[in-house]
Amino acid sequence: MQPSHSLPRIILLFATLSGAVVVVLGAFAAHGLKAQLAPYLLDVFKTGVQYQAWHSLALLGCGIWARIMPTKAVLYAALFFAVGILLFSGSLYALALTGSKWFGPITPMGGICFIIGWVALAVAAWRSA
């Protein structure tokens, strides 16, 4: 069974919107939060932005890959990257903006999602002809 033709479009849409959000949040951190947050919390926020940026690019690659050679492994990678962005970067944004340590345990779950996504891409690469 081949993956749906609309899935690459959804992946590309999420990747591009996430990329736009990265620019907004990066500018917000540099100009709006610099005077509002302690340096440690500003660094936490910036780490979320950096990981979101890298994994938005990874999602863009997944979307292109899925259009050229659709495989379940690439689609799983995209899913894990998207969930990783939401959990990892989202929890870091929430931690930095609220100061609540409650968000801290969510961050590693997002990191695990990123790792699974990269392993899924490795599987896709290994299985490709």
Side-chain angles (χ1 to χ4, degrees):
M1 179 174 88
Q2 288 292 331
S4 169
H5 293 294
S6 65
L7 288 176
R9 180 184 302 176
I10 293 167
I11 294 166
L12 290 168
L13 181 63
F14 188 93
T16 54
L17 292 175
S18 180
V21 168
V22 161
V23 175
V24 170
L25 292 177
F28 179 57
H31 303 290
L33 292 179
K34 196 172 190 177
Q36 305 298 320
L37 294 180
Y40 168 74
L41 291 177
L42 185 61
D43 284 343
V44 167
F45 194 92
K46 287 180 179 180
T47 298
V49 170
Q50 289 172 347
Y51 275 76
Q52 183 175 350
W54 284 112
H55 289 89
S56 295
L57 291 173
L59 271 171
L60 192 61
C62 287
I64 294 167
W65 191 340
R67 283 218 167 153
I68 296 168
M69 190 177 10
T71 67
K72 286 185 181 183
V74 171
L75 298 177
Y76 280 121
L79 174 66
F80 279 104
F81 288 150
V83 172
I85 287 170
L86 295 173
L87 293 178
F88 186 90
S89 295
S91 66
L92 290 180
Y93 301 145
L95 173 65
L97 294 174
T98 67
S100 174
K101 303 288 184 193
W102 184 88
F103 294 104
I106 298 171
T107 308
M109 292 188 297
I112 290 169
C113 288
F114 287 151
I115 294 166
I116 293 170
W118 286 110
V119 170
L121 274 187
V123 168
W126 180 259
R127 291 181 178 170
S128 67

